[in-house]
Amino acid sequence: MIIEMKNIRKSFGSNDVLKDVSFMIKGGEICALLGENGAGKSTLMNILGGVQPTDSGSINIDGKQVVFHAPSQSQEAGIAFIHQELNLINDLPIYENMFLGRELKTKRGSLDLERMHQETIKMFKQMDVDLNPKTMVRDLDSSYKQIVEICRAMMTNASIIIMDEPTTSLTDQETERVFKMMKTLKDHNVGIIFISHKLNEVMQFCTRYVVLRDGNLVAQGNVSEVTSKDLARFMVGYDVRTDPLLREKKLGKEILRVEGFTYYHVFRDISFSIKSGEIVGVTGLLGDGRSELFQSIFGAEKVSSGKIFLNGKVVSIKSTTQAINEGIAYLPRNRKENAIIKDMNIMENASIVTWPKFSKKGIINKQKHEETFREQSKVLKLKMGKLTDSITSLSGGNQQKVVLAKWLATSPKLLILDNPTQGVDVGAKEDIYDIILKLADENIAVVVLSSEAQEIIRVCDRALVMYHGVIQGEVALEAMNEHTIMSLATGGQLS
Ligand SMILES: Nc1ncnc2c1ncn2[C@@H]1O[C@H](COP(=O)(O)OP(=O)(O)OP(=O)(O)O)[C@@H](O)[C@H]1O
Ligand SMILES: [Mg+2]
């Protein structure tokens, strides 16, 4: 199958998102669709997926013009779309989710649950996915939800699959699994449009690339003929730095100390401390327990034993509200599921944790609050329309910036950032790193949780590497390199 999108234009009000974009994909290739946050990648795919109409231009499939008025028409034409935001129903088991909108029926017209169950088992076997189809979706880790979405798309026997940032919240191991699936599909002559901000993935797995900037297609070609530095430059229009960000440290008093923190098999005997002005990384592989550990410190999860000291005093944090009042902020690992309320507008989303700070006797000083948020969004180069626009009108990376701005506005003493650059483009990543350094300069203690060793090396003063719920080792200076981190993360010892 060959799909050609020709001279596509799309505006939202005065925002000309796609000015004149022509894009092509054919079976058997994996084409990376790249561009900064808000460049129009999802919008272009929404048009191909029948989610949104185009203002002008045309779509041809194998030389014949088609017009999609609804997602179902695009699906019937052989296009499957895995959206940037998850689209599963929590209260149904996996196998029913696999057939949403195209349920199998018995001859008498009722749902054929048995056949849907069997088909799902077959699919999982083919894709080497180790999941029980009867599990309720609500009980799945978000990464597994993503994998279910991918399998569902594959089940439609699509000729072209659109994957809008499928790996943003996946660990390396899970990402591997997705790539294995993609390779199988490519070998079966399926064409894949792959949107990602992780350029190393693009370099490794894509055959072709296309870059959008300022509403135009600015570069395209074969991945084998470029470097990831080239791709980054095409996206943002200038050279992106990759060297470690050296800084002058002035560490203050100890802010947080954790002693013997334990939660059954999730994490054990965790002890460490962090000073004001310090940036500490925490990394590891799937099942290392780092997110759970910091959720516990933030009062969102219980612990079975251990002590926390804040500013030298022992505290018992029983709720997240208490944690916020103690000056702790926590940016969660998965924006799609834990940080955004889809039915609220931008300002409401930004206010959720900050309104107590801007209110006196229960009355919120709205103007002051909005001013503060505007200032922060300027620093973060947040691309948005009005504060009252729906949060879902923002591109994925810009939603992430709203969440970051929201936590910064709590003026924390200890800032915990779990997967802080999920879904943000290479340029904005640098902006976020600069902000982290600036915050440390302002004497905030920052913890960066990340599975990307490179990210840890770039911004952190030192890093704790976890393995199966324990701190396997601590690295700093020259020892903070990819090789040592990986060796600790897989259970090795510091030599
Ligand atoms: N439904 C909508 N209403 C209004 N504006 C929208 C809507 N959908 C997208 N936009 C705007 O269109 C622009 C492009 O958004 P899009 O989601 O296509 O970006 P993207 O390239 O996918 O970015 P990201 O990498 O952050 O996901 C943004 O400025 C966004 O705010
Ligand atoms: Mg997008």
Side-chain angles (χ1 to χ4, degrees), residues 41-42 84 164-165 195 395-396:
K41 304 179 295 293
S42 296
Q84 192 164 7
D164 197 348
E165 297 193 37
I195 302 180
S395 77

Side-chain angles (χ1 to χ4, degrees), residues 35-43 46 84-85 164-165 195 197 335 394-397 423:
E36 289 186 275
N37 297 131
K41 304 179 295 293
S42 296
T43 304
N46 279 337
Q84 192 164 7
E85 310 308 324
D164 197 348
E165 297 193 37
I195 302 180
H197 290 291
R335 173 187 76 250
L394 295 185
S395 77

Side-chain angles (χ1 to χ4, degrees), residues 124-149:
F124 283 180
K125 205 176 246 161
Q126 195 183 331
M127 286 298 166
D128 200 14
V129 171
D130 188 20
L131 277 178
N132 178 353
K134 290 200 168 158
T135 311
M136 295 300 272
V137 162
R138 104 166 69 77
D139 297 329
L140 293 179
D141 187 314
S142 48
S143 56
Y144 277 108
K145 291 186 184 175
Q146 190 78 59
I147 285 167
V148 170
E149 286 244 35

Side-chain angles (χ1 to χ4, degrees), residues 247 249-257 272-282 294 297-298 309-311 326-331 404 407-408 410-418 435-449 459-462:
R247 65 183 189 115
K249 276 181 283 185
K250 27 178 209 307
L251 302 189
K253 279 202 300 237
E254 176 186 280
I255 296 280
L256 170 77
R257 179 152 46 99
F272 67 91
S273 73
I274 172 165
K275 294 189 170 121
S276 81
E278 196 173 21
I279 307 173
V280 175
V282 184
F294 282 89
I297 292 172
F298 188 58
F309 300 80
L310 278 176
N311 301 309
E326 298 274 8
I328 306 178
Y330 178 85
L331 178 116
L404 189 56
W407 286 110
L408 294 184
T410 63
S411 323
K413 292 193 192 72
L414 171 68
L415 177 62
I416 303 163
L417 303 170
D418 199 345
I435 289 165
I436 292 174
L437 297 188
K438 197 170 132 266
L439 292 170
D441 255 0
E442 290 165 8
N443 296 323
I444 295 174
V446 188
V447 179
V448 179
L449 311 191
V459 288
C460 297
D461 303 323
R462 60 187 169 98

